[in-house]
């Protein structure tokens, strides 16, 4: 069979497009393969980030929870200690005695308000002999009418019954303490005894 130049060109021409076609198909396959490989890597990366975030949250949450539980235990124990000390009921006339004098000069509610402001109206605290307590044996309150002051003499347990352990001068007009300590100014010297609190039990 005779093969002419024309036939050779046709054969060559017919093969050339096939090669190009194959090359195009190979080129098209590479992105598909790379996409297929990239997808699992992305999924694994996402799962690692998600797991890391979860672990961080779990560790932080556990730390906060343990701190909360610790503070709750501390609060509960301190409140139980307070409640146990405050459950004891002190009876007026048996455990302590309160006497008002010169009631025509100043009313009881004014004295009570001043004592509340200074924390001297808490019977449990006054009777408490621990380091945190008032540990008081007696309180005397004098009224200086000219200066509108209350001078509160505080006597601690175990100290001299004639000399105050400390004194607090309270300004009734401005509702504030103006002086406190053992040596207070003579200008604040008391005039009339208006209130006495005494511890009866030893």
């Amino acid at each position: 069979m005779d093969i002419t130049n024309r036939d050779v060109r046709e054969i060559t021409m017919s093969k050339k497009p096939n090669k190009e076609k194959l090359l195009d198909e190979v080129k098209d396959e590479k992105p598909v393969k790379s996409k297929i490989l990239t997808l699992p890597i992305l999924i694994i990366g996402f799962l690692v980030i998600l797991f890391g975030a979860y672990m961080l949250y779990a560790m932080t949450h556990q730390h906060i929870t343990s701190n909360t539980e610790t503070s709750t235990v501390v609060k509960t124990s301190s409140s139980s200690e307070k409640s146990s000390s405050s459950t004891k009921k002190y009876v007026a006339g048996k455990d302590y005695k309160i006497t008002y004098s010169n009631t025509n000069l100043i009313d009881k509610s004014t004295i009570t308000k001043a004592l509340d402001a200074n924390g001297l109206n808490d019977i449990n605290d006054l009777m408490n002999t621990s380091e945190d307590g008032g540990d008081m044996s007696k309180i005397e309150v004098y009224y200086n009418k000219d200066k509108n002051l209350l001078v509160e003499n505080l006597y601690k347990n175990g100290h001299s019954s004639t000399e105050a352990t400390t004194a607090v001068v309270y300004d009734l007009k401005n509702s504030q303490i103006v002086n406190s300590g053992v040596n207070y100014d003579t200008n604040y010297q008391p005039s009339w005894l208006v209130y006495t609190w005494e511890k009866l039990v030893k």
Side-chain angles (χ1 to χ4, degrees):
M1 188 174 165
D2 250 359
I3 299 175
T4 61
N5 285 336
R6 184 168 162 258
D7 294 333
V8 169
R9 269 196 309 251
E10 281 176 4
I11 291 165
T12 311
M13 289 286 286
S14 65
K15 285 181 181 177
K16 195 174 181 182
N18 285 343
K19 282 183 182 177
E20 287 174 358
K21 201 172 183 184
L22 285 169
L23 285 172
D24 288 343
E25 285 175 7
V26 168
K27 282 179 186 174
D28 285 345
E29 281 180 37
K30 279 183 182 176
V32 171
K33 284 181 181 175
S34 65
K35 283 178 188 174
I36 290 170
L37 288 172
T38 307
L39 187 62
I41 292 169
L42 286 174
I43 291 169
I44 290 166
F46 175 75
L47 290 173
V48 167
I49 291 169
L50 192 66
F51 181 74
Y54 174 75
M55 288 301 292
L56 184 66
Y57 167 78
M59 286 166 44
T60 309
H61 184 68
Q62 184 179 8
H63 178 69
I64 291 168
T65 308
S66 65
N67 280 352
T68 308
E69 285 171 0
T70 306
S71 63
T72 307
V73 168
V74 170
K75 283 180 186 174
T76 307
S77 62
S78 64
S79 61
S80 64
E81 285 171 8
K82 283 183 182 175
S83 63
S84 64
S85 65
S86 63
T87 50
K88 185 164 184 179
K89 298 288 181 187
Y90 294 104
V91 181
K94 179 186 171 189
D95 300 311
Y96 66 93
K97 179 173 77 170
I98 293 175
T99 308
Y100 289 93
S101 315
N102 297 306
T103 50
N104 57 320
L105 294 174
I106 185 170
D107 58 291
K108 291 179 182 180
S109 61
T110 305
I111 296 169
T112 302
K113 185 179 175 185
L115 292 171
D116 282 339
N118 300 331
L120 299 176
N121 221 8
D122 184 350
I123 304 301
N124 284 339
D125 184 59
L126 296 176
M127 299 289 287
N128 189 348
T129 55
S130 71
E131 286 182 19
D132 297 332
D135 194 21
M136 291 291 161
S137 62
K138 184 169 68 169
I139 296 172
E140 289 179 341
V141 178
Y142 292 86
Y143 177 51
N144 185 321
K145 188 176 180 182
D146 296 336
K147 298 185 183 297
N148 201 25
L149 301 171
L150 287 179
V151 179
E152 302 157 351
N153 290 334
L154 313 176
Y155 300 84
K156 285 235 178 200
N157 286 311
H159 292 273
S160 169
S161 59
T162 57
E163 188 179 329
T165 312
T166 190
V168 177
V169 181
Y170 187 79
D171 184 349
L172 291 167
K173 183 182 177 185
N174 298 311
S175 300
Q176 64 181 12
I177 296 171
V178 292
N179 203 350
S180 65
V182 178
N183 301 313
Y184 52 86
D185 195 315
T186 52
N187 291 325
Y188 300 136
Q189 285 296 335
S191 300
W192 294 279
L193 180 65
V194 290
Y195 173 91
T196 307
W197 177 90
E198 291 176 90
K199 182 178 180 180
L200 300 176
V201 291
K202 299 297 179 193

